[in-house]
Amino acid sequence: MMRMPLPVKLFLYVMACGVLALPLDAYAAAAPGINALSVTTGADGSQTYTLSIQVLALMTALTLLPTALIMMTSFTRIIIVLAILRQALGTAQTPTNQILIGLALFLTFFIMAPVFDKAYQDGVQPYMNEQMPVQEALAHASEPFRNFMMAQTRDSDLALFARISGKESIESPDQVPFTLLVPAFITSELKTAFQIGFLLFIPFLIIDLVVASVLMAMGMMMLSPLIISLPFKIMLFVLVDGWALVIGTLASSFYV
């Protein structure tokens, strides 16, 4: 017979003691169980689900919240531009990923504040005041996000996904479903972010080329141009107030 290791024996012993130490009334109280689903029909025909189902739906929605924050707001464009800027400066991991994500997150809250406020006033607040059902509240709350994404999405990207999905008969922006609008918005954001990143890369690339040419002319081929060009790139970025220019340009690019 195979012998169990001592740590395994101790673990099983502790678990057995813990189970046996439970009072009998705890088993009796747990025996009936919890009603997972119960629906109450009101006088007007509306239905109210039990609290456990509401909590389950809320927790499921919270798991999708990070994805919605990244893919339906300005976060994607901001974080890509900041990452390209760090690469152009050549500062390796400075600023760190945590700083870039935090900066992009709070800048996203700043840019999306009008959208969040309108969604709360049009959908969330009336629903909490029991002035409209949940379906109507969701429709009103999603309308500001639809308008924001439509304003940032290129017509060519919308046409691309409409052609792929076979929904080329869309006549107005109000008829564009979210399943089509979200991927088109993400594609447009990626394209815009790389365009901004390309423009940011040019001045730093020129500095690298100039420093590399000077070192080559002086015969210092064993010296890395990145070591010499890094102070000049940081000095240029600081002198032109680069962070204010980049962040201000990113913020204003969503409302032009």
Side-chain angles (χ1 to χ4, degrees):
M1 181 180 297
M2 183 178 63
R3 299 179 60 184
M4 290 188 297
L6 182 59
V8 177
K9 291 182 178 180
L10 292 176
F11 175 76
L12 295 177
Y13 176 76
V14 171
M15 292 296 294
C17 292
V19 172
L20 294 177
L22 290 176
L24 294 178
D25 54 349
Y27 292 102
I34 301 175
N35 293 327
L37 176 62
S38 62
V39 182
T40 304
T41 303
D44 56 350
S46 61
Q47 294 180 337
T48 303
Y49 295 93
T50 185
L51 182 60
S52 59
I53 295 299
Q54 294 178 3
V55 172
L56 178 62
L58 178 61
M59 296 301 295
T60 304
L62 288 178
T63 59
L64 301 177
L65 186 59
T67 303
L69 176 64
I70 294 174
M71 296 303 171
M72 296 175 60
T73 62
S74 58
F75 183 85
T76 302
R77 182 190 304 186
I78 296 171
I79 193 62
I80 290 176
V81 171
L82 293 179
I84 294 177
L85 174 62
R86 184 178 65 180
Q87 184 72 22
L89 282 171
T91 54
Q93 295 299 319
T94 304
T96 62
N97 293 331
Q98 291 83 353
I99 294 177
L100 289 185
I101 293 176
L103 178 60
L105 189 62
F106 281 100
L107 190 57
T108 299
F109 289 151
F110 172 76
I111 295 171
M112 300 296 297
V115 179
F116 292 154
D117 290 341
K118 187 170 179 56
Y120 178 79
Q121 294 175 3
D122 295 348
V124 178
Q125 190 173 17
Y127 172 72
M128 295 179 64
N129 295 334
E130 299 182 356
Q131 297 176 355
M132 62 175 60
V134 61
Q135 293 84 359
E136 186 179 353
L138 286 175
H140 283 78
S142 62
E143 192 64 26
F145 290 92
R146 173 189 293 275
N147 296 334
F148 173 80
M149 289 190 290
M150 285 296 300
Q152 309 300 326
T153 305
R154 293 176 173 84
D155 294 337
S156 59
D157 295 326
L158 276 176
L160 170 65
F161 285 96
R163 184 173 65 254
I164 294 175
S165 61
K167 299 178 181 179
E168 301 183 22
S169 59
I170 298 176
E171 299 179 355
S172 64
D174 297 336
Q175 298 178 356
V176 178
F178 263 90
T179 55
L180 191 152
L181 178 59
V182 173
F185 170 74
I186 297 171
T187 304
S188 295
E189 287 295 284
L190 290 174
K191 188 182 299 182
T192 304
F194 277 95
Q195 288 176 349
I196 299 175
F198 171 76
L199 295 177
L200 288 175
F201 222 107
I202 291 178
F204 302 110
L205 179 61
I206 294 176
I207 294 177
D208 287 334
L209 292 175
V210 171
V211 171
S213 300
V214 172
L215 292 178
M216 185 71 67
M218 296 175 63
M220 299 180 179
M221 293 176 292
M222 301 301 294
L223 183 61
S224 175
L226 295 177
I227 299 177
I228 306 300
S229 63
L230 179 58
F232 292 98
K233 290 190 289 186
I234 294 177
M235 181 182 64
L236 174 65
F237 193 69
V238 172
L239 288 177
V240 299
D241 200 6
W243 287 112
L245 288 175
V246 172
I247 294 176
T249 302
L250 281 173
S252 60
S253 65
F254 290 94
Y255 297 100
V256 294

